[in-house]
Amino acid sequence: MIITSKDNPVIKQTKKLIQNSKTRKKEGSFVAEGLRLCRDVAISKGTILTVLVTEGFLADFPEDAQIITRDAQRVLTVSDGVLSYLSDTDTPQGVLCVCKK
């Protein structure tokens, strides 16, 4: 199932984490965006709570997707539009992770 709505509770919470340092502090988590940062967190054995990934990313980077999602507590597929909504960049890479500090 692909999440296509910005009103999804996980999407709303992730957006709050991105926009608000008080929320990040309260939740004890942060958002890593992009292939390199998400892979670095996964390789360093950081705690990945949620991976939000597009179908395009899964198809284009299967080995990296496997590394990033391997130990994640939750993996959700989202539409390109939802990832663009969450992204701080003009051209999102198709993956972001909510990580425990």
Side-chain angles (χ1 to χ4, degrees):
M1 182 175 150
I2 298 174
I3 297 173
T4 58
S5 174
K6 297 173 189 174
D7 292 328
N8 180 287
V10 174
I11 303 307
K12 286 182 174 183
Q13 182 61 25
T14 303
K15 188 69 170 179
K16 284 181 188 176
L17 286 171
I18 292 168
Q19 293 179 327
N20 192 316
S21 63
K22 287 182 183 180
T23 303
R24 291 190 295 273
K25 191 172 189 174
K26 178 183 172 191
E27 299 290 326
S29 57
F30 65 97
V31 176
E33 182 179 351
L35 170 60
R36 183 173 177 204
L37 288 176
C38 291
R39 188 177 55 213
D40 287 352
V41 171
I43 290 171
S44 70
K45 300 295 184 193
T47 302
I48 298 177
L49 304 173
T50 304
V51 176
L52 300 173
V53 63
T54 63
E55 286 183 312
F57 182 86
L58 293 171
D60 293 343
F61 303 99
E63 291 100 18
D64 291 314
Q66 185 177 18
I67 290 167
I68 293 167
T69 61
R70 176 181 49 222
D71 296 324
Q73 293 179 10
R74 175 172 49 182
V75 178
L76 301 171
T77 305
V78 299
S79 68
D80 290 331
V82 168
L83 198 71
S84 291
Y85 167 73
L86 293 172
S87 179
D88 280 340
T89 64
D90 291 333
T91 54
Q93 294 181 359
V95 63
L96 61 84
C97 300
V98 176
C99 308
K100 194 78 173 159
K101 284 186 180 178

